[in-house]
Amino acid sequence: MTIDDLEAAGLRRMDDSDIAAFLSNQRVGVLGLPTEAGPYMIPLSFGYDGDRSLYFTFVGGSASRKQQLTEAAADATVLVYKVESMFHWESVLLQGSIEAVPESEWDDLADVLDGAWRPEVFADAIEKEDVAIYRFHIDEREGLRHAGLPPGFEPE
C-alpha cells in the first residue's frame, strides 16, 4: 500500500508548518548514521532552532563509535515520532548533513539546547566527560500523522 492508499484510513501528510510545530514540541528521536553493515541507529535528545537545524550533544569523546560515525558521515537521517495509540500517531523523517559546532558558538545555542531532554546520568557525565555539539542541517523532511478512528468505528 502507498501513503495515498492509506489516506482513506485517516493518514495525513504534514506540511512544513505542521512539521516545524511538531519538531518544536518534541525532544527525542533516532539518528541513523551510515555504515557498511547498514544504518547505525542512536537514540538522541535534540533542540530544534525553529527553522532548518537540530542540535544535539554527545558525551564520551572521540573514542565513541557514535562520534566517529558522526564525524565520518556526509549524510544522515533523523526520525522523530510520537505514538499515543495505534490510531493516533505522528512521525517526521529528516534527511540532512551533520557538522560539529565549534566551541566558540556553544553559548549562542544555550536556549536551543536547554530544551533537549537528558537523563540525569547524562547531566552528570557532561560535567566530567568530553562533550561535542553537532548541528544536523535539514535538507529534506517528510511528516505523516494518523488521527483517525479504528476501522468500523462510527461516531454518534
Side-chain angles (χ1 to χ4, degrees):
M1 289 192 122
T2 67
I3 292 172
D4 292 334
D5 295 332
L6 294 171
E7 287 181 337
L11 188 72
R12 298 288 178 256
R13 294 177 195 267
M14 297 165 71
D15 64 21
D16 285 344
S17 65
D18 292 333
I19 291 171
F22 180 74
L23 293 174
S24 293
N25 290 305
Q26 300 304 308
R27 297 291 176 255
V28 293
V30 179
L31 173 65
L33 298 167
T35 71
E36 287 185 23
Y40 182 74
M41 309 301 286
I42 304 166
L44 61 83
S45 176
F46 64 84
Y48 175 57
D49 70 358
D51 188 24
R52 300 296 288 186
S53 296
L54 304 181
Y55 293 86
F56 50 91
T57 304
F58 283 163
V59 178
S62 60
S64 131
R65 182 165 188 222
K66 67 183 174 187
Q67 198 159 335
Q68 290 171 352
L69 291 171
T70 299
E71 294 286 339
D75 296 301
T77 302
V78 173
L79 175 65
V80 181
Y81 64 96
K82 177 182 176 184
V83 177
E84 293 180 21
S85 75
M86 83 169 78
F87 300 105
H88 191 90
W89 55 266
E90 299 171 275
S91 69
V92 170
L93 183 64
L94 307 168
Q95 303 283 334
S97 58
I98 299 176
E99 65 181 341
V101 176
E103 197 167 344
S104 61
E105 296 177 27
W106 290 7
D107 288 341
D108 297 336
L109 298 174
D111 289 340
V112 173
L113 286 170
D114 190 43
W117 175 83
R118 291 184 187 94
E120 192 62 35
V121 67
F122 287 173
D124 292 343
I126 286 173
E127 304 277 328
K128 302 172 190 163
E129 300 285 338
D130 289 335
V131 175
I133 296 176
Y134 292 91
R135 176 184 300 112
F136 177 86
H137 178 75
I138 302 167
D139 295 325
E140 297 176 33
R141 54 190 178 177
E142 179 180 15
L144 298 172
R145 81 169 29 124
H146 185 268
L149 298 171
F153 183 83
E154 297 294 327
E156 294 179 19

